[in-house]
Amino acid sequence: MAKRLGAWLTDRWPFVPVWKAVMVEDIPGGSSYFYSLGSAVLFVFIIQAVTGVFQVFYYVPTVDHAYDSINYLRTQIPLGWLIHGLHYWGAQAMVVLAAIHLSQVFIWGAHKKPREFTWLLGVSNLLLILAMSFTGAALPWDVKGFWATEVGTSIAGTVPLIGDFIKRLLRGAEDMGQLALDRMFATHILVVPLLLAGSVLIHLVAFRRKHAAGPWSERKRRTTTGVFWPDQLLKDVILSCVVLVVLLVLCAWSPAPTTGPADASDLSVQPKPEWNFLFLYQFIKAFKGPFEPVGTVLFPLAAVVFLFLVPFLTRTQERDPLRRPLGMGLFLAAWAAIVALTVSGALSHPGQGPSAASSKVAPAGGPAPKAGGQAGASEGSSLFQSMGCGDCHKVNGRGGAVGPDLSNEGSAGRGESWLAEQIKSPKSHNPRSIMPAFGSRLTAAEIQSLAAYLSELKGSRAGTTAEEKPAVKAPGSAGQVKPAAPKAAEEAAPSPGAPAKGSSQAMSQGVALFKSAGCIGCHKVNGPGGNVGPDLSEEGGKRTVEWLAQQIKDPKSHNSQSIMPAFGSKLEPAQIEALAGYLFSLKQAPEAGPAAKPSAPEEAKKEASEAEGAEVPPQPNVPQAEKTPGADALPETGPAAMMIGDAGHGAILFQQTCVRCHGPEGTDKVPNPGSDDGTVPPLNPIDPDLKSADPAVFASNIDLFIQHGSVPDGPKPALRMLPFGDSNTLTQQAISNLEAYVLSLNHVDRTRIMHPGIPPKIFVLATVFCFVVAGWILWLLVPIKRKTSPPPRP
Amino acid sequence: MNGEEPRPPADAAVTRRHVLASAIGVLSGLIALVLGLPSVVTLVGRRAPKSKAGRFMKVAALAALPDGQPVNLKYSEMVEKAYIRAPEMRDIWALKTADSKVTVYSPICPHLGCRYGWNAEAREFMCPCHGSVWTADGKVVAGPAPRPLDTLPTKIIDGDLYVEWELFEVGTRAKIVM
């Protein structure tokens, strides 16, 4: 029956010729695992195709669901973690194996005539694999993929003349959004895979047409011959098994990282490309200003062209690597450069490059910056003042004490690039830094000027004053605070949030003090201001005037961990009262009353007691809509509750946003006078009622508080939880990261696989066991037969 | 493994080739299993957890419902499905009797899941797909419908009608909550 079916089929389709074309092939010099590398790439390509197709059954290519859909597959669908993990690690393996395969071909000299065309297709395949890697990274729409795509497409935009056109072609729009994701999706699942499949097929046909090159030794090629079927194919399959097992082990023991949902507005993110583009990322850093396209476009393009031309650059047929010193030298140098750049790219934090080495050495003992020594230094000096740097940093005896004294910063050997990076993104040097990132508020040139100015600060800390050295004019600081002069009051109205005109003298004084005492250096009021401390635009709606006055006088009395300087000794009581009165007048909506009419401290006190006495909202402040009597309506969690955030990034956000009230790592019992508990509820350990072993439930429980805020029970709680979600103070992505962090503090992993089907490690161990047993049995059989029966010549 | 060795007897060569071919077959089969099985398991997925009971939603004021006349009422409910939480429009058939009692029917035909309608002239519910017919009180009159119309849990609170949405298996004689 089987024979008849076989005959029927072979009569209708050329199975035998096709089988022969694919399988019957001499291997000069005998089969080798080195020759299996190409097959290993093909095998991983098949894994990618299979897992890719099955991911598409769940993946949704929209900016609002892409991230959640892929996490749903990973955490909620049995064995979904495996499909996703294999695809993630397969992508990495494909790049590695393709690069090794290409290197092997080069070392063996197998790219030379008559196999140039096979080489050309191989290089095309490598480029297409990199294109898959690039377009695939965008699809989860997570932090890493988003920024990789943002920067990658922007790099394409730096191509002279046609850059904008290419960028538009890649993104489908001006910015990174739905259209860009659509493009990446279509390119990743249709365009590039089809091109790659075609290119691989032509590559294989070309390979068969000119046959395997075999070893470089002429003698070995002549004296020994193996066959593709079954000798080489068995080696190919064995290597494929090894690759599969390695991928499985990676899936179980090192799952694909969760970098959190993409959030373009999150300034604390440090975008870095995937490891396989790190060498380019690091390389690009060497080219600045107008030369940037040299690094981003010209050099990579030249390298690709060079790679294509490799087989045509020499006419010699010599294949022995030891007799090709130039070619092998260049090859090794290229690999050394790629490895070195990748490693340094992995280790570097943006801008931290050759800082000390490149820093300009100023004449020793020069106490003040050289006038005009740096083009931007004087501009930097004025920026130092206007940006409020001096509110936190001392220079030559003047300035705040929040940050380190910078009087001698130029002698610290850090260099301008380090300083520029510190200004741009202080967390890149120290994740716990409380300094605000100025990367979004200053242009690159301004940052450079500031860095230039700081690198020239080599004055002695004692005995020099700003007055003596005009170039280091110290900015307004706490030490300079005086009762605000009328002129200052006019200048100081910091924002639209300032009370209406015609406010009392105390109010004007408060407004002026807010700027002159340096508050604005750390706090925002309706726009302008720093972000070291909380935004005070609506502060009046949250605190009493007494609480505010106390906070200005001695912040540690409310929170022992507060980093805010105490102004009790720097301001007079009347000034503190004026400042507190001003802050109390900052309320949100005009209809709320107090915000519309500026309230003097005495009036404010009255309003505060009235307002706070009246409200006893539930905890959390869940909106009342949709609640049905006698029924449990779904709690109104925000979108963040459904997102799987990144706990690592949440820790950074926690430090910026939550630590003041909840203490470091949520452990502190920060005093909250006026509340029944007397302290802010700790988050670590959290209230057991909120905790759940199911990360989604746990996240939902705390999401209610973060979204809507809450007011603690008690007569007059001084602190209340702000509605971070409702007020858009935090994005939903940021909230999801914070939730993941709070979960991690309570030993619950937000990324936990809820429905693994088979637990990852057990699945992998069972699979490895099957492979080992099968391999062992085959091993016992094959060598015995080998001794008695060597293969026939085909 | 290499051609330097003398050509072996044909039967030995065949045996060796068979062993190698079997090895290729066994290992390829294992690979196919390791990749194929999880793919199928992933595709089958997981049965969605049963929706939380007790979510009664306000649908209408009782006084606004006509006596003895089924009306189709629509309301929106926030629903969580897989990874999406979004409002979903529901519709139900409500029939108020003279004694102010209300029966609410799921709008889904218990035969194969179509949406049936009310024929006011015939005073019957009719399904457009396969012609099932029910009386106003939900009893099967004609057609392939295996059971009466499915009723939904209701509550009357302060003169308002509240309904709890449920889904039932279709095509079965018994009313089974999904």
Side-chain angles (χ1 to χ4, degrees):
Chain A
M1 180 65 192
K3 268 191 176 175
R4 281 180 60 194
L5 185 67
W8 187 84
L9 274 174
T10 45
D11 184 42
R12 281 152 184 82
W13 206 83
F15 282 100
V16 176
V18 169
W19 171 265
K20 279 188 178 163
V22 174
M23 294 297 178
V24 178
E25 169 85 355
D26 275 358
I27 311 282
S31 60
S32 164
Y33 281 106
F34 284 113
Y35 309 155
S36 297
L37 288 163
S39 301
V41 182
L42 182 62
F43 173 65
V44 179
F45 180 53
I46 293 167
I47 293 184
Q48 294 304 90
V50 172
T51 52
V53 165
F54 283 91
Q55 284 202 111
V56 172
F57 281 105
Y58 286 94
Y59 174 73
V60 176
T62 63
V63 291
D64 50 350
H65 295 313
Y67 182 76
D68 294 335
S69 67
I70 215 70
N71 276 316
Y72 182 77
L73 167 68
R74 197 176 60 75
T75 61
Q76 300 290 333
I77 297 299
L79 295 180
W81 58 268
L82 181 64
I83 298 296
H84 176 247
L86 274 178
H87 200 78
Y88 174 81
W89 282 114
Q92 327 283 320
M94 209 163 159
V95 176
V96 173
L97 289 168
I100 297 176
H101 176 47
L102 182 126
S103 303
Q104 180 264 327
V105 169
F106 183 84
I107 294 169
W108 262 246
H111 59 291
K112 297 196 168 192
K113 195 178 173 185
R115 299 182 183 83
E116 308 96 317
F117 190 60
T118 319
W119 171 270
L120 290 180
L121 287 157
V123 175
S124 307
N125 291 344
L126 180 68
L127 295 177
L128 287 168
I129 289 168
L130 289 176
M132 286 300 275
S133 183
F134 176 73
T135 51
L139 300 191
W141 212 247
D142 60 352
V143 169
K144 185 142 202 163
F146 177 85
W147 287 111
T149 315
E150 167 76 56
V151 176
T153 49
S154 294
I155 283 175
T158 64
V159 178
L161 301 175
I162 53 165
D164 282 347
F165 172 76
I166 297 175
K167 189 163 106 176
R168 208 195 144 73
L169 209 62
L170 288 170
R171 288 189 183 174
E174 281 66 37
D175 62 346
M176 281 282 293
Q178 183 56 51
L179 292 173
L181 180 57
D182 279 340
R183 299 234 159 170
M184 293 297 148
F185 180 62
T187 312
H188 186 76
I189 73 154
L190 291 172
V191 182
V192 184
L194 286 176
L195 288 175
L196 186 54
S199 182
V200 166
L201 191 69
I202 302 171
H203 181 67
L204 289 174
V205 172
F207 169 65
R208 275 285 184 268
R209 170 98 176 160
K210 288 296 168 192
H211 309 292
W216 56 77
S217 153
E218 178 79 24
R219 191 186 61 80
K220 261 193 183 175
R221 278 207 303 274
R222 286 205 176 144
T223 53
T224 316
T225 305
V227 287
F228 180 75
W229 167 266
D231 295 18
Q232 184 60 51
L233 189 60
L234 179 61
K235 288 194 165 74
D236 291 0
V237 171
I238 290 173
L239 186 63
S240 296
C241 291
V242 171
V243 168
L244 182 60
V245 166
V246 170
L247 293 181
L248 290 174
V249 168
L250 285 168
C251 288
W253 273 271
S254 177
T258 305
T259 59
D263 182 1
S265 67
D266 190 342
L267 303 176
S268 57
V269 169
Q270 279 176 39
K272 245 187 183 188
E274 203 61 83
W275 64 270
N276 47 7
F277 291 107
L278 270 179
F279 73 100
L280 266 182
Y281 154 85
Q282 190 69 358
F283 182 75
I284 288 165
K285 287 185 194 167
F287 298 89
K288 297 209 164 75
F291 296 105
E292 201 175 33
V294 175
T296 54
V297 181
L298 203 62
F299 190 87
L301 204 64
V304 167
V305 171
F306 184 78
L307 204 56
F308 272 120
L309 291 179
V310 161
F312 308 102
L313 295 176
T314 54
R315 296 210 170 271
T316 162
Q317 287 298 301
E318 182 56 69
R319 286 180 51 201
D320 187 341
L322 295 176
R323 293 184 188 170
R324 295 186 288 136
L326 182 65
M328 285 307 293
L330 278 174
F331 166 80
L332 291 174
W335 261 123
I338 288 173
V339 170
L341 284 172
T342 302
V343 170
S344 63
L347 296 177
S348 91
H349 292 288
Q352 206 175 8
S355 53
S358 70
S359 67
K360 292 170 185 66
V361 180
K370 294 177 288 175
Q374 281 284 313
S378 58
E379 193 198 338
S381 167
S382 50
L383 275 168
F384 190 92
Q385 293 177 56
S386 61
M387 292 307 293
C389 311
D391 297 326
C392 291
H393 295 281
K394 266 200 179 59
V395 170
N396 295 336
R398 293 210 164 168
V402 175
D405 188 332
L406 301 180
S407 311
N408 213 15
E409 189 64 13
S411 308
R414 294 200 173 93
E416 274 179 44
S417 57
W418 190 97
L419 288 164
E421 185 52 32
Q422 175 70 15
I423 297 162
K424 213 188 299 171
S425 168
K427 289 201 165 44
S428 66
H429 294 146
N430 174 10
R432 300 183 77 84
S433 172
I434 55 154
M435 176 171 157
F438 288 88
S440 61
R441 282 188 273 156
L442 293 173
T443 63
E446 286 172 328
I447 291 176
Q448 212 50 49
S449 315
L450 254 178
Y453 163 67
L454 293 174
S455 72
E456 294 210 357
L457 289 174
K458 291 171 182 170
S460 59
R461 285 170 200 213
T464 40
T465 64
E467 285 77 11
E468 288 162 15
K469 292 159 188 67
V472 205
K473 196 175 161 197
S477 69
Q480 292 177 312
V481 170
K482 298 177 198 114
K487 187 171 175 274
E490 278 167 31
E491 290 170 356
S495 67
K501 283 175 189 165
S503 53
S504 69
Q505 197 188 341
M507 189 55 59
S508 322
Q509 195 188 356
V511 173
L513 275 166
F514 188 77
K515 198 170 184 189
S516 62
C519 312
I520 200 166
C522 291
H523 295 279
K524 271 197 178 60
V525 169
N526 296 325
N531 54 8
V532 173
D535 188 327
L536 302 180
S537 311
E538 295 165 23
E539 196 62 7
K542 300 167 196 162
R543 326 274 187 189
T544 62
V545 75
E546 294 94 337
W547 190 96
L548 289 165
Q550 179 61 27
Q551 175 72 13
I552 297 164
K553 222 183 290 171
D554 180 15
K556 290 207 163 37
S557 66
H558 290 146
N559 173 6
S560 61
Q561 300 292 323
S562 174
I563 56 156
M564 177 172 156
F567 288 85
S569 59
K570 295 174 188 163
L571 297 175
E572 288 163 21
Q575 291 178 314
I576 291 177
E577 202 178 341
L579 203 43
Y582 162 63
L583 293 176
F584 187 76
S585 75
L586 298 171
K587 292 180 187 179
Q588 190 181 17
E591 59 267 32
K597 33 178 186 156
S599 39
E602 284 309 311
E603 292 167 285
K605 256 187 236 177
K606 204 172 135 198
E607 280 163 3
S609 52
E610 282 168 9
E612 303 212 350
E615 56 179 339
V616 193
Q619 248 193 81
N621 301 332
V622 177
Q624 299 298 307
E626 288 242 0
K627 272 195 172 173
T628 52
D632 300 323
L634 264 186
E636 294 305 309
T637 52
M642 309 277 280
M643 292 176 193
I644 294 184
D646 171 26
H649 192 57
I652 296 169
L653 294 168
F654 189 88
Q655 194 64 26
Q656 290 173 351
T657 314
C658 318
V659 81
R660 286 183 314 117
C661 291
H662 292 286
E665 298 188 344
T667 48
D668 265 16
K669 291 199 167 181
V670 177
N672 189 7
S675 69
D676 285 352
D677 292 343
T679 57
V680 176
L683 300 178
N684 177 17
I686 203 165
D687 182 347
D689 290 343
L690 296 174
K691 194 173 172 177
S692 167
D694 182 338
V697 175
F698 194 170
S700 293
N701 290 346
I702 56 173
D703 184 77
L704 292 169
F705 291 85
I706 304 177
Q707 298 287 356
H708 312 301
S710 74
V711 179
D713 288 336
K716 268 190 192 176
L719 296 173
R720 52 181 107 173
M721 176 92 175
L722 307 180
F724 288 98
D726 294 345
S727 65
N728 291 326
T729 307
L730 290 174
T731 60
Q732 291 299 316
Q733 293 92 323
I735 293 176
S736 75
N737 291 329
L738 278 170
E739 286 165 4
Y741 176 63
V742 174
L743 261 66
S744 76
L745 290 177
N746 291 280
H747 313 293
V748 175
D749 179 8
R750 185 67 184 94
T751 65
R752 184 181 152 201
I753 300 169
M754 293 307 294
H755 300 277
I758 304 169
K761 287 174 187 168
I762 292 177
F763 178 89
V764 174
L765 288 175
T767 309
V768 172
F769 177 77
C770 291
F771 273 114
V772 169
V773 169
W776 181 62
I777 294 171
L778 293 169
W779 186 252
L780 287 179
L781 288 173
V782 176
I784 293 166
K785 298 297 172 191
R786 187 188 289 155
K787 277 176 195 162
T788 56
S789 53
R793 293 295 300 274
Chain B
M1 262 286 174
N2 59 55
E4 283 178 297
E5 294 171 59
R7 185 173 280 254
D11 59 336
V14 167
T15 313
R16 182 181 177 280
R17 286 171 75 92
H18 278 168
V19 171
L20 293 188
S22 324
I24 290 170
V26 168
L27 294 178
S28 306
L30 266 177
I31 289 174
L33 209 63
V34 172
L35 287 180
L37 205 67
S39 300
V40 174
V41 171
T42 302
L43 205 55
V44 172
R46 187 171 64 87
R47 207 183 158 84
K50 285 201 172 179
S51 57
K52 289 166 204 161
R55 283 173 44 76
F56 282 88
M57 301 299 294
K58 183 176 164 182
V59 174
L62 200 58
L65 300 179
D67 283 345
Q69 172 82 15
V71 281
N72 189 253
L73 300 171
K74 288 187 169 61
Y75 67 97
S76 170
E77 186 174 7
M78 190 61 86
V79 180
E80 212 173 285
K81 280 182 179 165
Y83 45 88
I84 295 177
R85 191 166 183 279
E88 197 166 279
M89 283 304 288
R90 312 266 198 219
D91 74 299
I92 47 108
W93 287 96
L95 173 66
K96 187 169 83 169
T97 49
D99 54 356
S100 280
K101 281 190 177 160
V102 182
T103 307
V104 169
Y105 299 116
S106 158
I108 299 164
C109 172
H111 175 220
L112 288 174
C114 292
R115 300 284 164 132
Y116 58 83
W118 170 251
N119 184 330
E121 280 180 26
R123 289 198 56 77
E124 283 170 341
F125 288 110
M126 287 181 180
C127 181
C129 291
H130 305 99
S132 294
V133 180
W134 299 266
T135 59
D137 55 358
K139 290 194 182 88
V140 181
V141 177
R147 61 172 188 260
L149 292 177
D150 297 317
T151 53
L152 294 172
T154 58
K155 273 184 187 175
I156 309 286
I157 300 165
D158 297 334
D160 290 322
L161 171 65
Y162 287 80
V163 174
E164 183 191 1
W165 181 258
E166 282 181 338
L167 279 177
F168 307 96
E169 300 277 4
V170 293
T172 56
R173 289 186 68 81
K175 177 183 167 189
I176 305 162
V177 181
M178 278 165 81

